[in-house]
Amino acid sequence: MSRLETTEASPLPPGLARASADTWEAGTRQETIPAELRPPRDATPRQRARALRDRHLLRERRAREFVAATMRPDKGLPIAENRAVISFVGRLLGRHRGWVVVVVLANALAATAGLLVPRLLGSLVDETVAHVQAGQTSAALASANQMALLVAALVVVQALFTFGAQASSAVLGQSVLAAAREYIVRAILRLPLSRVESASSGDLVTRVTRDVGTMSESVRWALPQSIIASITVGLTIVAMVANSWVLALPSIVLGGLALIQVRRYLVRAPKGYLTEGGTYSRINTTLTETVEGARTVEALRLAGRRRARGDLDIEVSAQAERYTLTLRNLLFAVMDFAFSMPRVLVLLLGAIGYVQGWATLGQITTAILYTEALFGPFDMLVSTIDRVQVGMASTTRLLGIATVPPDREAGTDEPASADLRGEDLRYAYRAGHDVLHGIDLGLRTGERLAIVGPSGSGKSTLGRLLSGIHGPRTGSVTVGGVELTSLPLDRLRTEVALVTQEHHVFIGTLRDNVVLAREGASDDEVRAALRAVEAADWVSRLPDGLDTRLGSGNLALTPGRAQQVALARLILADPHTIVLDEATSLIDPRTARHLEGSMNALLTDRTVIAIAHRLHTAHDADRIAVVIDGRIVELGSHDELVAREGEYAALWRAWTT
């Protein structure tokens, strides 16, 4: 039995239930966890170690394959290449080079002040030894007092520079973050709608939530900290060499050897974190689909299937996380060794050098203090490297949005009229599976056309082609002789506009939500648009009128009222052709009928294409197009089609019975 199967009974007839299950399982991989990724139950320690290595290598190969598949997918959202991220960060830092200079200088001065303290303490040790050997105890105490005051002054200076460095780092991080977010928002808003719809909802949610948050943390924290740590580590090594190059060798050699593992980590980690992000998208997709389709899941008793699918997604994600966890463990193990051994080696070399006379106690003291001082910033540098890698993976996924090519190129031709015409229209959501089959349709200016037909017949797809949302696979949709998809988007929406049953309320005032269609519209124009869609009554009862804030955390509109706001936007946009795809479906039938009657005056002299299941809309239209299986099978007025006793007549009888 498949792990996605369930024994729960369905209220559907057995044949239909099986067909529904087959539809749900279409394109779903039943097993995505290879048996090789599961630890052996009965094995010797040597076999377990070999199996552990094999699992790590298999996860590495799966990560490479995932990144290769998502770099340039046929549909969905791609990811960018690493050099695109480096170029992106370089441009952001270039725009704030003044703050970058301040951060570097402030941290360099703070590190220099801090590094002077061990050197002074080493000098104090040598002076004290010399004074004591000469019997000058009072001179030794005087030198110690002077050195204590000097060290205290350096600590104060270091604290001031550190404060300035932290403050400038915060400003730099927030400035770069703001610019990065603005770029990502612009990239998202430029996405072709067809590409957005081909991407899974979970991938979109993950990119604009987790990936944005991870990128924010990296830009705000990891990027400045990596600059600070790099400067401190570099200056510390310089100071160690200046004190004694021999005593500096353990730290330099072991640090250099550790860089081999760091390089190995940097080569592999990005693919691992990108795979992690992809598995989070998969989890969110399953969760979002289950929540949005909760009624269907409950009605068809698919809860067991959805839970099994969610468990499988989590297991896939766990395998991806095990890979990056192993990479981190290997990195940190090498780093811990590189941190610990120099202390022992410096003491050993120092003892030999002191005995042989080429190292003083002061130099040994300074070297030990520098070795300890190197641990903190070096540890921070390694930690930020990991955080930066996570941030780079998320940034790569976000920048992938900007790599999506436009689905149209704006031309310079101007429409000669408002006549809308579609010829030989074919469209496919999947290659080789057309949902429209050679539709020809011409509309006269001011005509009202109703498109009716059963669910899934292609009505909404035809509406999207006629409104310029999608370009046809073959054929063309023109307005005044100009291809719709060759018009700039801002110009296109003054020619043809689409209003669907989907409604969107944005955070902001009611006025803000309406004037999205035409910025700069006056309050009188906004109120007139709201009156036209029968919204004036409830708007007048709002606490702050047009200034009432809507959206998350503010006043929540009912679906019907939200759809009225969408229709008010349409009126304010004032296009000459309007495509209404179930635009009043969320409003109760009586109010919808009254609203459509009130809008008639506003729709006069405009071309209206109404896609509806409520056939009273079709009754009032000039012509009716009956779409079945992606073809227009009947075209004519209500009376003509009823008289033909064809498909429309059957629909009308079913509606009025």
Side-chain angles (χ1 to χ4, degrees):
M1 177 181 292
S2 166
R3 52 175 307 178
L4 296 183
E5 290 182 1
T6 178
T7 58
E8 296 178 6
S10 170
L12 295 174
L16 184 57
R18 184 65 259 170
S20 298
D22 290 342
T23 300
W24 183 82
E25 290 177 357
T28 301
R29 291 178 295 176
Q30 297 293 318
E31 182 61 47
T32 57
I33 303 297
E36 294 82 0
L37 288 178
R38 306 187 187 281
R41 294 184 176 275
D42 299 319
T44 64
R46 183 176 181 180
Q47 290 173 330
R48 288 182 177 276
R50 182 179 301 169
L52 179 63
R53 177 179 178 275
D54 291 341
R55 289 199 301 275
H56 177 69
L57 294 177
L58 178 56
R59 290 171 186 142
E60 180 180 329
R61 179 168 60 82
R62 284 163 61 89
R64 288 199 305 267
E65 292 173 351
F66 173 85
V67 172
T70 54
M71 189 68 72
R72 293 180 180 86
D74 294 332
K75 60 181 182 177
L77 300 177
I79 59 176
E81 298 181 356
N82 284 338
R83 62 173 176 267
V85 179
I86 296 173
S87 176
F88 174 67
V89 173
R91 289 196 305 271
L92 291 179
L93 293 177
R95 295 176 190 172
H96 304 86
R97 59 174 58 90
W99 281 111
V100 173
V101 172
V102 172
V103 169
V104 171
L105 287 178
N107 281 287
L109 292 173
T112 301
L115 293 173
L116 287 175
V117 174
R119 191 62 179 266
L120 292 175
L121 292 177
S123 300
L124 176 61
V125 169
D126 286 338
E127 289 182 11
T128 302
V129 169
H131 287 311
V132 170
Q133 289 176 347
Q136 300 172 349
T137 306
S138 58
L141 292 175
S143 297
N145 290 334
Q146 292 176 356
M147 192 64 68
L149 293 175
L150 184 56
V151 169
L154 283 174
V155 169
V156 172
V157 171
Q158 182 187 18
L160 293 175
F161 282 132
T162 301
F163 175 79
Q166 294 291 342
S168 58
S169 297
V171 173
L172 174 64
Q174 293 295 341
S175 300
V176 171
L177 175 60
R181 281 179 167 171
E182 290 173 1
Y183 177 86
I184 296 301
V185 168
R186 286 194 296 269
I188 292 173
L189 294 178
R190 285 196 300 265
L191 274 176
L193 185 57
S194 58
R195 198 60 177 266
V196 173
E197 292 180 342
S198 71
S200 67
S201 56
D203 192 21
L204 288 170
V205 170
T206 303
R207 295 202 189 207
V208 301
T209 54
R210 175 191 175 272
D211 288 331
V212 169
T214 304
M215 181 198 72
S216 300
E217 182 181 4
S218 295
V219 171
R220 189 177 62 251
W221 181 83
L223 184 60
Q225 289 298 322
S226 62
I227 295 175
I228 294 171
S230 299
I231 293 171
T232 306
V233 168
L235 291 177
T236 302
I237 292 175
V238 171
M240 293 175 72
V241 173
N243 174 64
S244 170
W245 69 269
V246 176
L247 297 179
L249 280 178
S251 297
I252 295 174
V253 172
L254 291 176
L257 293 175
L259 289 178
I260 298 174
Q261 180 62 28
V262 171
R263 182 182 180 278
R264 182 177 183 276
Y265 168 82
L266 292 177
V267 170
R268 291 164 174 77
K271 294 182 176 63
Y273 286 122
L274 284 171
T275 305
E276 271 190 22
T279 63
Y280 298 151
S281 295
R282 177 171 170 163
I283 291 172
N284 280 333
T285 296
T286 298
L287 182 61
T288 302
E289 290 173 349
T290 302
V291 171
E292 290 180 348
R295 292 183 179 179
T296 302
V297 170
E298 182 179 356
L300 301 182
R301 300 182 182 179
L302 296 173
R305 293 174 181 270
R306 302 310 292 174
R307 284 196 298 270
R309 178 64 181 270
D311 291 343
L312 186 60
D313 292 344
I314 292 173
E315 189 174 0
V316 171
S317 182
Q319 292 294 335
E321 292 200 6
R322 284 190 178 98
Y323 175 59
T324 56
L325 178 62
T326 302
L327 291 177
R328 289 195 298 273
N329 286 339
L330 292 173
L331 175 66
F332 293 148
V334 172
M335 291 299 103
D336 286 341
F337 179 79
F339 289 154
S340 302
M341 284 303 296
R343 302 167 182 170
V344 178
L345 295 178
V346 168
L347 282 175
L348 179 61
L349 285 175
I352 296 173
Y354 183 73
V355 171
Q356 294 184 353
W358 52 262
T360 66
L361 289 177
Q363 287 179 311
I364 298 171
T365 301
T366 301
I368 291 294
L369 291 175
Y370 279 152
T371 302
E372 291 295 326
L374 186 65
F375 177 85
F378 201 72
D379 182 53
M380 180 188 295
L381 182 60
V382 173
S383 299
T384 54
I385 284 175
D386 182 61
R387 303 290 282 274
V388 167
Q389 291 302 306
V390 177
M392 282 188 65
S394 292
T395 306
T396 299
R397 284 166 52 80
L398 289 170
L399 291 182
I401 296 174
T403 66
V404 175
D407 62 348
R408 63 193 69 203
E409 291 185 9
T412 58
D413 294 341
E414 292 290 328
S417 67
D419 293 337
L420 187 67
R421 183 170 187 80
E423 296 180 350
D424 189 30
L425 300 181
R426 301 175 190 271
Y427 189 81
Y429 292 99
R430 290 186 298 155
H433 295 79
D434 281 346
V435 295
L436 296 180
H437 306 279
I439 288 180
D440 293 315
L441 184 62
L443 289 96
R444 300 182 297 271
T445 302
E447 179 184 18
R448 298 191 183 188
L449 174 74
I451 301 178
V452 301
S455 296
S457 60
K459 303 186 303 296
S460 293
T461 302
L462 178 57
R464 287 173 175 268
L465 264 61
L466 294 175
S467 59
I469 298 294
H470 300 319
R473 186 179 68 81
T474 67
S476 64
V477 181
T478 60
V479 57
V482 178
E483 187 77 32
L484 278 186
T485 53
S486 70
L487 291 173
L489 283 176
D490 53 350
R491 175 60 191 277
L492 172 61
R493 294 304 160 227
T494 65
E495 301 284 341
V496 186
L498 170 70
V499 178
T500 70
Q501 57 188 325
E502 299 176 358
H503 57 276
H504 300 280
V505 177
F506 301 92
I507 295 177
T509 65
L510 175 60
R511 178 190 298 102
D512 295 336
N513 271 270
V514 177
V515 300
L516 283 172
R518 180 158 60 88
E519 293 185 5
S522 66
D523 285 359
D524 290 340
E525 291 173 314
V526 172
R527 292 190 180 94
L530 291 169
R531 281 196 302 271
V533 297
E534 303 292 325
D537 183 52
W538 61 263
V539 169
S540 65
R541 295 196 302 270
L542 294 178
D544 298 314
L546 297 179
D547 292 319
T548 302
R549 295 191 64 80
L550 309 177
S552 178
N554 300 297
L555 178 66
L557 296 182
T558 63
R561 290 182 175 181
Q563 211 159 36
Q564 286 176 303
V565 172
L567 291 170
R569 292 188 196 119
L570 173 68
I571 291 170
L572 209 58
D574 195 28
H576 63 66
T577 299
I578 299 173
V579 181
L580 302 174
D581 186 1
E582 295 291 339
T584 58
S585 62
L586 298 180
I587 305 174
D588 66 89
R590 180 177 299 177
T591 303
R593 182 68 171 158
H594 181 64
L595 173 59
E596 289 169 1
S598 301
M599 290 180 64
N600 278 337
L602 294 165
L603 300 179
T604 301
D605 298 328
R606 287 184 172 87
T607 304
V608 179
I609 303 169
I611 302 168
H613 292 291
R614 293 171 178 169
L615 292 191
H616 60 72
T617 301
H619 179 275
D620 299 335
D622 298 321
R623 284 193 300 167
I624 302 167
V626 182
V627 178
I628 295 180
D629 293 333
R631 294 178 174 86
I632 295 180
V633 297
E634 293 181 345
L635 182 63
S637 68
H638 171 79
D639 294 336
E640 291 171 349
L641 296 184
V642 170
R644 289 181 191 176
E645 290 293 330
E647 297 286 350
Y648 178 77
L651 289 172
W652 181 255
R653 282 195 299 270
W655 173 261
T656 55
T657 300

